[in-house]
Amino acid sequence: MSADVRDILDIERANTPEITRDSFLATKKRNFERTKHASRRPEGMHREVFALLYTDKKDAPPLLPTDTALGIGAGYKQNKARLGMKKVRKWEWAPFSNPARNDAAVFHHWKRVSDDSTDYPFAKFNKQLEIPSYTMTEYNAHLRNNIQHWSKVQTDHLFDLARRFDLRFIVMADRWNRQQHGTKTVEELKERYYEVIALLAKAKNQSIEKKTFVYDAEHERRRKEQLEKLFKRTTQQVEEEQMLINEMKKIEARKKERERKTQDLQKLISQADQQNEHAANTPSTRKYEKKLHKKKVHHTPRPSKVDSVVNAIEIGSSGIKFADLRGSGVSLRSQKMKLPANIGQRKVKALEQAIQEFKVDPAPPPTEDICTSFNELRSDMVLLCELRTALSTCIYEMESLKHQYEAACPGKTLNIPPSLVPIKTETLENSAT
């Protein structure tokens, strides 16, 4: 191909060796040897893994791990430790005492001769709790309230054990002298100790500066009883509990499914309402409604203002019924503020506008009091919106009756008594808030 191009362009042809039979066979032999020594990828091995086993020269992988990155002969050889020719520092078997002990016991340990410190290095960890003490006068004045179960000797023994064992009540209950002071449980020891601490702090006016700990012994006993019952459950009881948990999960799943279907149905109803409103705005529908309205004017009496307001109050007095989550298992408190699914879209939009109008936080922190107050506030807002609608209807009906009277009796006007004058919207809003 290249030779033809050169001939067409009248370019001199490069000097190439002539292809003979021997040169052709030699080239074919070299290609055969190259393919003969080429390594093949075993069956089942990925191409990426096979590429890691060989270098670009297709050399076989080494049998032993080598590392020549650090230079010739470095490899994995560890350097020998270079020990100096300095003299070794001397050690001695020296005595020491622990400041935490009161028996003046002397112990021995190895230490350097050059180390002149005589303090025990672990003495800084000897931290003891401050156990308050009381006098005989203080005990007779403030601590004789539980004399039927605790005497002064028993209280003294309790505080002595508290100082010895740093309020480790399990150890204190084990070392309690049952022969002289009777049997006491861990809860009784804790209850008496914290009772004395609270009384002493109150007598010394320390309860204001430092908050005292209140121990509920009865609650601790019930907790241990429940824990013991939990540990002593049989296999049948565990299986029954698991079955009940599974049933509760199924009930929750069915409840969520019903709520989802209710929401879907509510969406369909709202879409149908919008379609009906759109159809009602057409000219033919308006003419039909006007004819029907005229017939109703001649044949049916109009509802009064009082009836409209009463009906509005009866409709909206119930407000919003929020879901009760007491028997539904574990749930977040914020679920109490979730609007029920049976509320229409119009009420939801009116409620959102009222929240924006009164500048109320739409998602307050869900504490117990805030949840209750926020739900009551939204229920009152829904009632307020319904009362506004009823009030505007009453005003419209009174004005229309006035115009009809003036049209029927020319030259006369209808004077509405002050008792029937509708309340202003601002007054209604202030009373509702």
Side-chain angles (χ1 to χ4, degrees), residues 69-82:
L70 300 177
I72 300 174
Y76 292 92
K77 187 184 297 183
Q78 297 288 342
N79 294 326
K80 294 183 179 180
R82 298 179 180 178

Side-chain angles (χ1 to χ4, degrees), residues 213-358:
F213 177 73
V214 179
Y215 179 74
D216 191 355
E218 188 63 28
H219 174 73
E220 186 68 15
R221 293 189 187 98
R222 291 197 302 268
R223 185 186 69 84
K224 289 186 176 181
E225 289 177 1
Q226 294 293 334
L227 188 61
E228 187 177 0
K229 291 179 181 178
L230 183 65
F231 283 143
K232 290 183 178 180
R233 289 183 303 170
T234 60
T235 307
Q236 291 79 8
Q237 292 175 346
V238 174
E239 293 177 354
E240 182 180 0
E241 182 181 1
Q242 189 64 34
M243 182 187 66
L244 293 175
I245 292 174
N246 295 333
E247 291 294 330
M248 186 177 66
K249 289 181 179 179
K250 293 179 181 179
I251 293 173
E252 290 292 332
R254 289 195 293 268
K255 182 180 178 182
K256 291 181 180 179
E257 184 67 20
R258 286 197 302 270
E259 291 179 354
R260 187 183 63 80
K261 291 181 179 179
T262 305
Q263 292 177 358
D264 295 341
L265 182 60
Q266 190 67 32
K267 291 180 180 178
L268 294 175
I269 293 173
S270 62
Q271 292 176 0
D273 293 340
Q274 292 177 359
Q275 293 176 359
N276 294 332
E277 290 177 0
H278 180 70
N281 293 327
T282 57
S284 59
T285 309
R286 289 176 183 174
K287 292 180 181 179
Y288 176 75
E289 287 181 353
K290 286 182 180 179
K291 293 181 180 178
L292 188 63
H293 182 68
K294 290 181 180 179
K295 292 181 180 180
K296 287 184 178 180
V297 168
H298 294 290
H299 296 286
T300 58
R302 290 181 173 272
S304 62
K305 167 197 167 185
V306 178
D307 295 336
S308 301
V309 174
V310 168
N311 292 333
I313 294 175
E314 289 179 355
I315 294 172
S317 61
S318 59
I320 304 175
K321 293 182 180 181
F322 291 90
D324 189 6
L325 303 177
R326 293 181 180 178
S328 59
V330 180
S331 60
L332 296 176
R333 192 184 288 119
S334 59
Q335 295 294 322
K336 293 183 179 180
M337 298 191 298
K338 184 179 179 181
L339 291 174
N342 56 357
I343 298 180
Q345 295 293 329
R346 295 182 181 178
K347 287 187 178 180
V348 173
K349 291 181 180 179
L351 181 59
E352 292 177 354
Q353 293 177 357
I355 289 175
Q356 294 178 359
E357 179 183 355
F358 294 108

Side-chain angles (χ1 to χ4, degrees), residues 150-164:
W150 286 88
S151 62
K152 186 178 183 303
V153 179
Q154 292 176 338
T155 307
D156 294 341
H157 182 53
L158 172 64
F159 273 75
D160 181 46
L161 293 176
R163 294 186 187 92
R164 287 173 57 190

Side-chain angles (χ1 to χ4, degrees), residues 114-125:
S114 60
D115 191 3
D116 297 332
S117 61
T118 57
D119 296 336
Y120 184 53
F122 299 98
K124 59 183 178 181
F125 299 108

